Amino acid sequence: MSHQQTLQQILTSIDGRGYASYKQLSGRHRLGRFTLNVDKVQVDPFAPPSLMRISLSREDAGLPADLLDDRLGRIAASDFLTRAVAAAVDADAAEGSGSAASISIGRPGQQVLERTSVVITEDLITARLSVALPAAGRRALGVKAARLLTETLPRVAEASLLHTSLDQDALRSHVTLLRDQEDLRAQLTAAKLVCFAADGSVLPRQAGDSDLPLGVDAVEFHSPDSLRRSFTLPSGRQVTGMGVPEGVTVIVGGGYHGKSTLLRAIERGVYPHIAGDGREWVITRDSAASIRAEDGRSAAGVDISPFISGLPSGADTRSFSSTNASGSTSQATNLVEAVEAGACALLIDEDTSATNFMIRDDRMRRLVPAEREPITPFVDRVRPLFTERGVSTVLVAGGSGAFFEVADQVIALQDYRLREVTAEAHRIAADHQATTTRPASPDSGVFTTDPARVPRRASLDPGKKTKPARSRGHRMIQYGREDIDLTAVAQLVDPAQTEALAKALDRLAEQADDARDIAALVAELVERLDVEGLDGLSPHRGHPGHLARPRTQEIHAAINRYRGLSLH
Ligand code: ADP
Ligand code: MG
């Protein structure tokens, strides 16, 4: 380990030399009470920034032990510290020389996710940073780098990693909030609810491309009386609001009355949100999956026969493969894969669904008899999904009453306000049924088999693939020569999750053994993440890059969208 002077000497000596001389920085350096580990030095000024870790002892940091003695406490505290580092970088860059702007720790959004950015162990607190080392053309600016690493960096760390520098009440509330939120999520299962949304929540966002809450114009969420539930949480806090029961729930209402906004909040409710977000008490069971049509996606060996069978081409839909699925077949594929990945509930919006996948009206049922229609619409399958597989559905349907008779709950939105209208909807459905030819009860025994999908190892780890997979932006992964498009994976919320998914795919490729199916491979990986943390995704020790934990659902979604995937 070098001392501060040595680090300064190295950097001064390479000032003006070729950029590659920064390589000498690799290794461990002491900076007062901090230790700096330089794990990966960028090869040139245009390469991804260098990866470094700055750490100090738990004792020096002085964070209260009771905040860190459980997994959730550590996740919340490390999220808090990540935000504190990012804020300290911004403040330093604004006040000081601006050099802090080359330091990055990733930028958490409205969700609190398990991340690699700050790690809290028994004896150390470590912030993992990326640092763009300064250059003039292709020359190293060693003297400037010395100021950056030996002055700016410790200053940022002092301002963000020491308990005495932090807003201590805010830190405690941050930890308490996450513990309460996850306790509530755990209570949902016993209460047989798919999700919960507290009275007073603010669901709408500022804009389509903003995840921040709408301001004064927002109408606060209030539960219909019939669905109102209360929960007591570990901190003693009580929350009251709407509990959506298991089964089939349909959200109706006129256009622009807030249906999609409610569903979107439920989709995002699989993640905990920060205080002030407005959705911090919208909590959804962890495995709930958003399902939409996704024209053009690829599919490998998916059994979509409960929805689509007897194609005129003669293709076997018990093992459906395509490089360019249609609206309805892609939505069926997304649904079946989500169930395979363990979804307890499906979240579906008419806005993003294929109409012919969802419903078929009575006139069409008369004109084109079922035997000649390859598609059995979702409305005929939504009940067996629940009764045979225990998979609930929350569905937005403003344009069709077809789901009234299969719904356990119908909730109406009017001017962003909710009312339960189940009885009325059932009455309308009963009146209507007397005059139609619709079969009274849908088929049963349709979701009984669950064929194992075993990936070919060779298809995951093609000889040509020499580089590790990596993410490009928020919704694209480069895997070998293929791009995996995750645009339609609605519950992927952070680019750091996408980067983690890229690494997850490489680990799955290593695990694949031509025997186990996708579900078993992903389960093994998830178990490893539970034990080792996210660092388990990286083949190297040290800084694994800015990663945030994706759900099991999204790991399945990524591998299932790989165009090279082939099965036994
Ligand atoms: P729908 O799906 O019923 O057509 P949306 O959910 O798309 O309606 O909402 C329409 C518009 O109303 C959006 O701009 C949305 O931001 C806004 N909005 C939704 N809910 C609220 C609310 N509770 N308060 C204020 N504005 C809202
Ligand atoms: Mg809508």
Side-chain angles (χ1 to χ4, degrees):
M1 166 145 50
S2 88
H3 285 271
Q4 187 155 338
Q5 287 83 349
T6 329
L7 181 60
Q8 263 157 348
Q9 273 161 19
I10 298 174
L11 285 164
T12 313
S13 74
I14 63 173
D15 193 57
R17 305 239 308 262
Y19 198 85
S21 13
Y22 274 133
K23 281 237 163 60
Q24 296 172 42
L25 287 179
S26 286
R28 232 145 80 97
H29 313 277
R30 176 146 291 285
L31 296 172
R33 61 172 126 192
F34 298 103
T35 305
L36 178 69
N37 275 282
V38 179
D39 289 321
K40 188 162 182 269
V41 181
Q42 62 199 110
V43 288
D44 66 65
F46 314 103
S50 305
L51 299 180
M52 309 187 183
R53 287 171 288 150
I54 187 160
S55 48
L56 83 164
S57 69
R58 279 274 292 267
E59 204 180 326
D60 283 349
L63 299 174
D66 68 306
L67 298 183
L68 308 176
D69 58 15
D70 61 331
R71 181 171 167 272
L72 288 174
R74 287 189 295 274
I75 290 175
S78 83
D79 177 85
F80 190 88
L81 294 177
T82 300
R83 293 171 196 272
V85 172
V89 165
D90 287 350
D92 201 276
E95 278 173 27
S97 58
S99 67
S102 53
I103 302 171
S104 163
I105 192 161
R107 199 160 283 275
Q110 296 297 96
Q111 293 81 23
V112 175
L113 304 174
E114 184 181 342
R115 291 178 181 275
T116 52
S117 47
V118 171
V119 176
I120 301 169
T121 60
E122 292 275 293
D123 38 40
L124 283 182
I125 303 228
T126 304
R128 277 100 166 251
L129 308 164
S130 56
V131 179
L133 291 167
R138 292 190 172 273
R139 315 244 136 241
L141 289 179
V143 172
K144 202 172 166 197
R147 264 202 313 277
L148 177 64
L149 297 184
T150 65
E151 293 169 29
T152 310
L153 194 53
R155 197 164 61 232
V156 163
E158 292 275 345
S160 54
L161 298 178
L162 303 184
H163 193 234
T164 48
S165 320
L166 296 170
D167 180 340
Q168 300 174 5
D169 291 339
L171 169 63
R172 185 161 290 276
S173 314
H174 203 70
V175 171
T176 307
L177 178 59
L178 185 69
R179 285 176 180 157
D180 277 350
Q181 288 166 327
E182 292 308 321
D183 184 84
L184 176 53
R185 197 186 316 282
Q187 289 193 51
L188 293 180
T189 311
K192 293 192 173 306
L193 299 178
V194 170
C195 62
F196 172 87
D199 293 339
S201 296
V202 173
L203 309 188
R205 301 291 100 187
Q206 281 175 12
D209 60 354
S210 165
D211 207 25
L212 299 172
L214 185 65
V216 288
D217 292 336
V219 174
E220 287 186 359
F221 179 87
H222 279 284
S223 174
D225 289 338
S226 54
L227 295 176
R228 188 168 280 121
R229 303 285 297 261
S230 284
F231 292 91
T232 305
L233 306 176
S235 71
R237 179 196 279 269
Q238 271 239 332
V239 286
T240 300
M242 176 175 78
V244 174
E246 292 176 353
V248 178
T249 302
V250 178
I251 300 168
V252 302
Y256 311 103
H257 282 263
K259 303 182 298 298
S260 296
T261 302
L262 172 58
L263 191 78
R264 172 56 70 97
I266 294 172
E267 275 174 16
R268 294 298 176 92
V270 298
Y271 301 112
H273 287 88
I274 56 174
D277 175 82
R279 299 169 295 185
E280 52 270 52
W281 297 111
V282 180
I283 304 287
T284 304
R285 295 254 286 271
D286 170 60
S287 65
S290 165
I291 304 295
R292 52 171 294 167
E294 189 183 348
D295 296 46
R297 70 156 283 185
S298 66
V302 183
D303 180 5
I304 57 170
S305 64
F307 299 99
I308 296 163
S309 61
L311 288 175
S313 65
D316 181 5
T317 55
R318 282 170 307 172
S319 178
F320 171 73
S321 297
S322 172
T323 56
N324 183 15
S326 70
S328 55
T329 51
S330 64
Q331 192 161 5
T333 300
N334 287 348
L335 191 155
V336 170
E337 287 172 351
V339 173
E340 180 186 30
C344 68
L346 307 174
L347 311 174
I348 303 181
D349 192 332
E350 61 185 354
D351 293 351
T352 47
S353 291
T355 304
N356 59 344
F357 172 77
M358 298 297 287
I359 52 174
R360 187 157 69 249
D361 75 9
D362 298 319
R363 292 179 192 178
M364 199 54 85
R365 283 177 202 262
R366 279 192 208 177
L367 186 67
V368 182
E371 315 78 81
R372 267 182 267 140
E373 169 55 84
I375 304 177
T376 304
F378 182 64
V379 67
D380 292 348
R381 295 299 191 223
V382 64
R383 287 231 64 90
L385 258 173
F386 182 57
T387 52
E388 295 172 18
R389 300 299 296 262
V391 179
S392 298
T393 294
V394 181
L395 177 97
V396 167
S400 164
F403 284 89
F404 287 178
E405 60 204 271
V406 292
D408 296 301
Q409 293 82 228
V410 182
I411 307 169
L413 265 164
Q414 194 183 337
D415 301 324
Y416 318 129
R417 288 176 177 83
L418 284 174
R419 217 156 38 94
E420 197 195 338
V421 294
T422 311
E424 218 176 317
H426 282 170
R427 207 158 42 238
I428 293 168
D431 287 352
H432 185 70
Q433 209 166 31
T435 65
T436 62
T437 55
R438 193 73 191 282
S441 69
D443 302 350
S444 60
V446 279
F447 291 102
T448 43
T449 60
D450 210 352
R453 295 166 65 229
V454 178
R456 285 180 195 279
R457 187 178 157 84
S459 79
L460 290 177
D461 192 13
K464 332 167 235 206
K465 184 175 170 300
T466 49
K467 282 195 200 154
R470 62 190 185 94
S471 65
R472 283 213 320 264
H474 186 163
R475 298 192 173 277
M476 200 66 94
I477 290 174
Q478 196 177 332
Y479 187 83
R481 289 193 188 164
E482 296 285 349
D483 282 333
I484 302 176
D485 183 355
L486 302 175
T487 312
V489 182
Q491 287 163 296
L492 192 60
V493 292
D494 195 302
Q497 286 181 306
T498 314
E499 183 59 24
L501 285 175
K503 293 201 177 337
L505 290 175
D506 280 342
R507 301 294 81 75
L508 289 172
E510 291 159 5
Q511 287 169 234
D513 54 5
D514 293 309
R516 282 175 300 165
D517 66 2
I518 291 175
L521 294 168
V522 174
E524 184 188 65
L525 182 66
V526 166
E527 211 169 285
R528 188 159 134 197
L529 297 186
D530 285 341
V531 175
E532 297 174 26
L534 272 176
D535 283 11
L537 284 177
S538 172
H540 312 291
R541 287 179 52 81
H543 191 327
H546 296 316
L547 310 180
R549 183 145 178 187
R551 298 183 309 154
T552 302
Q553 282 289 334
E554 279 69 42
I555 303 177
H556 277 258
I559 188 168
N560 280 324
R561 280 166 181 73
Y562 169 49
R563 290 181 174 272
L565 179 65
S566 78
L567 305 177
H568 284 280

